[in-house]
């Protein structure tokens, strides 16, 4: 009798688990479908080493490539900055592998050298001649890796609130994304992660934008909805886990960077602190253009787009002047 009761209890619990998981999977599918309907692909696609990369470009002239940060996508630049540069620039922003509408190759690790290599291949495939690379947050770490490991590919780097050093506090800010097991990461992506992300989207966005207010049009114009899809969560979690494997080693080589470089950092950044990731860089890169902005948080391209545009154009002028001089010397 007892065995029979326990058997029925087990079956009941199993059925309940199936119902809960199915409900989460259905909710995930609905949220993801809404996200892709609200923020469809706006650009072109290119296949690079098994990755399907979505990108947008605008204008003609000196090339500038934009690399977004963790859990973001190309609208962080397209929506905020592209219309402010004026003539004379070819602006290209891409969704990094797995983010936005880009697909990450099977077996890809998300490690910094891997992502930097893909950006190098992207630059080559588009026929860009030594572009300036703009990197925000984690995109800044990728830009620094590119400058260290593939300096001949680019003319300079302009970094916005960049991740520059390995720091436990930064990882702790994203504990819910730090999932080392690929299997667990995949299961979470298609069940609990997306409904939970939607539930906590408001406080998460407030934390990332603080002390400034979240941009009114962030979810659609800024592409925020795209983060609420399984593949995007999986890629973001992969990036969080992967960054710690190489950042220390890359940081030891910052002194090798000889190209024009600039950093813009808000003094009130709650996500990546200027004391640990900005100030130490002043003496690491020769000739670094360092701009600290009082009271600015982690999203300068949304909070002060005009300042960011002026900063990027300033670094671009230096970078392209050096490139032109080098070309003349070679001739």
């Amino acid at each position: 009798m007892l065995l029979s009761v326990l058997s029925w209890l087990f079956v009941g619990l199993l059925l309940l688990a199936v119902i809960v998981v199915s409900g989460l999977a259905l909710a995930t599918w609905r949220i993801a479908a809404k996200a892709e309907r609200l923020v469809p692909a706006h650009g072109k696609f290119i296949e690079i080493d098994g990755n399907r990369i979505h990108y947008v470009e605008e204008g003609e002239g000196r090339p500038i490539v934009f690399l977004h940060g963790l859990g973001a996508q190309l609208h962080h630049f397209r929506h905020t900055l592209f219309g402010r540069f004026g003539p004379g620039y070819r602006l290209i922003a891409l969704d990094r592998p797995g983010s936005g509408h880009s697909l990450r190759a099977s077996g890809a690790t998300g490690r910094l050298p891997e992502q930097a290599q893909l950006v190098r291949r992207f630059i080559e495939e588009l026929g860009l001649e030594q572009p300036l690379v703009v990197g925000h947050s984690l995109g800044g770490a990728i830009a620094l890796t590119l400058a260290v490991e593939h300096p001949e590919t680019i003319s300079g780097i302009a970094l916005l609130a960049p991740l520059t050093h390995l720091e436990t506090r930064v990882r702790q800010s994203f504990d819910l994304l730090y999932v080392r097991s690929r299997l667990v990461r995949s299961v979470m992506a298609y069940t609990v992660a997306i409904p939970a992300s939607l539930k906590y989207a408001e406080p998460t966005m407030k934390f990332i934008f603080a002390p400034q207010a979240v941009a009114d049009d962030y979810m659609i114009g800024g592409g925020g909805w795209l983060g609420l899809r399984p593949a995007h969560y999986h890629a973001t979690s992969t990036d969080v886990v992967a960054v710690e494997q190489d950042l220390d080693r890359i940081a030891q080589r910052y002194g090798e960077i000889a190209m024009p470089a600039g950093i813009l950092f808000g003094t009130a950044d709650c996500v990546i602190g200027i004391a640990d990731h900005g100030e130490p860089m002043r003496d690491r890169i020769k000739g670094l253009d360092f701009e600290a902005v009082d009271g600015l948080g982690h999203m300068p391209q949304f909070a002060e787009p005009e300042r960011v545009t002026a900063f990027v154009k300033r670094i671009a002028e230096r970078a392209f002047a050096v490139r032109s001089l080098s070309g003349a010397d070679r001739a």
Side-chain angles (χ1 to χ4, degrees):
M1 182 66 179
L2 179 59
L3 183 60
S4 178
V5 170
L6 291 175
S7 297
W8 278 107
L9 179 61
F10 173 77
V11 171
L13 291 174
L14 182 61
L15 181 60
L16 178 61
V18 170
I19 292 172
V20 170
V21 170
S22 298
L24 289 170
L26 179 59
T28 295
W29 178 82
R30 287 177 172 171
I31 295 167
K34 181 178 180 179
E36 294 186 356
R37 184 175 68 253
L38 292 174
V39 190
H42 284 79
K44 306 172 185 177
F45 289 89
I46 185 172
E47 298 282 341
I48 299 178
D49 301 334
N51 301 275
R52 187 169 188 254
I53 302 301
H54 174 240
Y55 69 98
V56 295
E57 59 178 318
E58 179 179 297
E60 298 179 356
R62 292 167 289 187
I64 303 178
V65 174
F66 295 82
L67 304 178
H68 63 77
L70 181 71
Q73 23 65 41
L74 58 79
H75 293 286
H76 279 212
F77 301 114
R78 174 185 180 270
H79 179 66
T80 59
L81 303 181
F82 270 28
R84 303 176 186 274
F85 274 81
Y89 297 96
R90 182 183 177 187
L91 309 175
I92 305 106
L94 64 146
D95 287 331
R96 292 190 294 100
S99 300
H101 287 283
S102 290
L103 299 179
R104 177 167 274 166
S106 176
T109 65
R111 292 176 61 173
L112 292 176
E114 178 185 87
Q115 297 208 47
Q117 166 70 2
L118 183 135
V119 175
R120 181 186 72 81
R121 292 275 291 110
F122 177 82
I123 290 170
E124 292 173 350
E125 289 293 324
L126 265 63
L128 307 177
E129 184 180 352
Q130 289 188 304
L132 175 76
V133 173
V134 178
H136 173 238
S137 195
L138 176 61
I142 296 169
L144 285 162
T145 305
L146 191 65
V148 166
E149 298 196 339
H150 308 283
E152 72 289 346
T153 304
I154 61 178
S155 61
I157 52 175
L159 311 179
L160 310 174
L163 176 71
T164 63
H165 294 82
L166 196 59
E167 182 193 358
T168 302
R169 185 184 67 82
V170 172
R171 199 188 87 182
Q172 290 173 342
S173 300
F174 298 94
D175 272 348
L176 293 178
L177 290 167
Y178 191 82
V179 181
R180 296 193 63 87
S181 167
R182 293 174 64 93
L183 176 60
V184 173
R185 196 182 304 153
S186 296
V187 171
M188 289 183 63
Y190 287 91
T191 54
V192 69
I194 303 308
S197 296
L198 181 60
K199 180 178 180 179
Y200 295 106
E202 184 175 350
T204 299
M205 290 301 99
K206 286 182 177 179
F207 167 70
I208 292 173
F209 274 83
Q212 282 74 48
V214 178
D216 291 338
D217 56 350
Y218 176 72
M219 290 304 291
I220 295 179
W225 269 104
L226 289 177
L228 296 172
R229 295 171 306 129
H232 195 106
Y233 168 83
H234 192 279
T236 302
S237 177
T238 299
D239 288 347
V240 168
V241 173
V243 70
E244 65 183 16
Q245 298 184 58
D246 301 285
L247 188 54
D248 265 346
R249 177 181 61 81
I250 297 297
Q252 293 172 16
R253 298 182 60 189
Y254 290 159
E256 300 174 20
I257 297 175
M259 63 186 66
I263 291 178
L264 185 149
F265 227 122
T267 62
D269 193 326
C270 299
V271 180
I272 297 178
I274 188 173
D276 294 303
H277 296 270
E279 295 294 345
M281 298 296 289
R282 289 181 181 270
D283 300 324
R284 300 296 304 277
I285 301 177
K286 185 177 180 180
L288 177 70
D289 184 325
F290 191 91
E291 182 174 349
V293 184
D294 287 341
L296 184 63
H298 190 61
M299 303 294 273
Q301 66 272 51
F302 285 90
E304 296 199 24
E306 294 290 353
R307 181 190 292 270
V308 170
T309 301
F311 164 76
V312 172
K313 291 175 73 172
R314 185 169 73 242
I315 307 304
E317 292 303 314
R318 285 180 53 204
F320 293 127
V322 170
R323 188 185 73 176
S324 297
L325 181 60
S326 298
D329 288 345
R330 288 195 300 269

